[in-house]
Amino acid sequence: MKNDTLRPQDLFWRVRIFDALSFPSVIIDLEKSVVGANKKFYDTYKLTPEDILGKKCYHSFLYKNTPCKSQDCPISRVIENKEAHSYTLKRQYKWEERVFSPIFDDHQEVAYVLSSIRDITRTKSLESQLIGVKEFITRVIYSSASAIVAADRSGRIELMNSVAKELFGAYNGGEGSITHTEQLYPPGKAKEIMRMLRDEKIGGRGKLIIPKTTIVNAKGEEVEVEMSAAIIYDENGNESATMAIYNDLKDKIKVEKELKKTQKQLAQSEKMASLGQLAAGVAHEINNPLTGVLFYASLLLERPDLDDDAKADLTYIVEDANRCKNIVKSLLVYSRSTDSNKRIVHINEIVDQSLKLVRDQKKFRNIQVRRFLDDEMMLIHADVSKLNQVIINLIINAADVMKGNGKISLSTYRDKPNKKVFLEVKDTGEGIPRENLSKIFDPFFTTKEVGKSTGLGLSIVYGIIEEHGGRISVKETGTKGTTFIIEFPMYVPSEDGPHFCDPPGSA
Ligand SMILES: Nc1ncnc2c1ncn2[C@@H]1O[C@H](COP(=O)(O)OP(=O)(O)O)[C@@H](O)[C@H]1O
Ligand SMILES: [Mg+2]
């Protein structure tokens, strides 16, 4: 040690600097005795030089009274490693950082250790506040009902909350997992969004709300969402990240569709109801004179003095009047003026019965009729003969459109939770043109040859289904064929009432 080589003025400054340090500091020698302390130290701990100078650090240095175990004695570590060492410590309500720095001699050997104590209570409290805020924000993000995605400037995804992972079908590390914002959209869309975000005229600087747009999930499927996006700027106003919030529109779209469908059905049933009234009125009015026409024409036909021409004409009159009679009869069925005779019956039974009725008709010779009837219990409260009419009407229409060649499939199934029973009639015909879809259930609407068909079939079907508390609609139609779907309320025997399904004699 060559402290004697220090000029007095250097020593003077060094002591001054030591005293000027704003942290309480002490100098400890290799034997761990305190050889000096600065003014801040004495002031902070209300000590005098007599209290500490020459004492072992562990006696006088505000710690425990025993030496630290050698492996965790910070002073030993500094001496051994020749480099500074620090640790934090909680004393009562305060946090301290204790920093130990080596003081080297001329041979670069550690001669003393300078130990200073910094009060970091405030830093610590800010740090824990920060951690608290961060945890809070994380919880907010992760418990949000919306999908949230954040990405860095380059588009690399930094955060995806659980709803976002579900929406995009991206599970970290999993197959098809999503790592870049470009994967979230159809090609080119991510760039387009960034362009709009930067355009102050759209939504304001760095902000964007798109009520309806498309994203792409990990499976490559497009999903419609409502989206709001933002650019996150740093304190200098530079772009540092982006974030977006998405809400899946699936449920909203479903509700809207459902609403539209209901409105349409309502309009349709209103139309049918008024047409029904009209039809019933007309049918009644025509029925009486028609009976008269038929009666007198039949009487005339029986006259022996008729020549052949008159006989032929009269036969036409009777035939046509009979046709009118049938139409009137159909109209009366459609307008629900005939009595119904309902019982509880398995839907498959009705299908089978209807099929028996058409089986041997010439029209069906080259048509393959297939049954896909579910084995589940599917009871409905129904007038069997009227539902036979429904099924027969549907399959005759199907046979007509397929011009005697093709396949007709009848399927039944149920939706137990919603207590519904379904019947579908599918054909492989040429489909129903879009412009006709709203008219096919109207009475007298037909695309078939005049005189061949009445156009009453589907309107009667509609009336009968309504009478059963059910609904009929076109499920799909196109060049590959048409599927009609009928929905019935399912009959569910009550728990304590007579059990419909009990085997006979099991009481
Ligand atoms: N399965 C079907 N495929 C294509 N068009 C159909 C089908 N069923 C009905 N249609 C259309 O609906 C119209 C009305 O049917 P409907 O009321 O039974 O009267 P009709 O059979 O006397 O024409 C038919 O003329 C036809 O244009
Ligand atoms: Mg028909």
Side-chain angles (χ1 to χ4, degrees), residues 273-487:
S274 50
L275 281 170
Q277 275 174 359
L278 192 72
V282 172
H284 277 295
E285 292 297 323
I286 292 177
N287 216 17
N288 289 338
L290 200 59
T291 311
V293 170
L294 255 177
F295 178 71
Y296 289 110
S298 305
L299 268 188
L300 270 175
L301 247 184
E302 278 163 22
R303 275 173 64 158
D305 54 336
L306 282 184
D307 62 38
D308 282 352
D309 277 354
K311 218 175 187 167
D313 291 348
L314 270 174
T315 309
Y316 283 133
I317 293 178
V318 171
E319 268 177 25
D320 280 354
N322 266 323
R323 250 185 54 207
C324 291
K325 224 162 156 124
N326 281 333
I327 293 175
V328 168
K329 220 167 100 194
S330 302
L331 269 177
L332 287 173
V333 174
Y334 160 63
S335 61
R336 290 179 230 153
S337 50
T338 57
D339 292 337
S340 82
N341 180 14
K342 286 187 186 159
R343 62 180 174 97
I344 291 148
V345 57
H346 198 295
I347 189 144
N348 292 358
E349 198 185 306
I350 306 178
V351 173
D352 279 334
Q353 207 175 334
S354 311
L355 286 178
K356 256 188 224 151
L357 293 170
V358 295
R359 197 177 41 197
D360 298 323
Q361 291 209 13
K362 220 169 72 195
K363 222 180 205 170
F364 294 95
R365 212 166 283 158
N366 291 321
I367 285 175
Q368 199 185 332
V369 179
R370 300 188 298 178
R371 297 153 70 255
F372 300 96
L373 309 183
D374 203 326
D375 293 334
E376 298 288 352
M377 198 42 135
M378 294 180 293
L379 300 177
I380 58 173
H381 191 220
D383 182 323
V384 177
S385 70
K386 286 192 178 174
L387 289 192
N388 281 337
Q389 273 190 55
V390 165
I391 297 172
I392 291 168
N393 258 312
L394 292 175
I395 52 187
I396 288 180
N397 278 347
D400 282 349
V401 76
M402 296 190 298
K403 307 203 174 67
N405 247 310
K407 284 186 208 136
I408 298 177
S409 313
L410 288 120
S411 6
T412 56
Y413 55 95
R414 71 176 190 183
D415 172 359
K416 198 178 179 197
N418 291 313
K419 296 191 188 144
K420 302 262 190 252
V421 170
F422 294 91
L423 163 65
E424 290 188 12
V425 180
K426 182 176 176 181
D427 62 51
T428 53
E430 62 200 19
I432 304 170
R434 180 178 281 269
E435 65 273 18
N436 288 351
L437 269 177
S438 61
K439 297 182 214 150
I440 54 168
F441 293 107
D442 292 354
F444 304 112
F445 174 79
T446 180
T447 53
K448 295 167 194 170
E449 223 176 288
V450 190
K452 269 216 167 152
S453 226
T454 58
L456 278 172
L458 283 182
S459 56
I460 291 171
V461 164
Y462 192 93
I464 294 173
I465 298 303
E466 274 229 312
E467 205 184 320
H468 283 76
R471 271 193 222 165
I472 178 164
S473 55
V474 174
K475 187 180 176 191
E476 53 193 354
T477 184
T479 49
K480 285 202 181 124
T482 303
T483 308
F484 279 88
I485 179 168
I486 306 177
E487 170 194 310

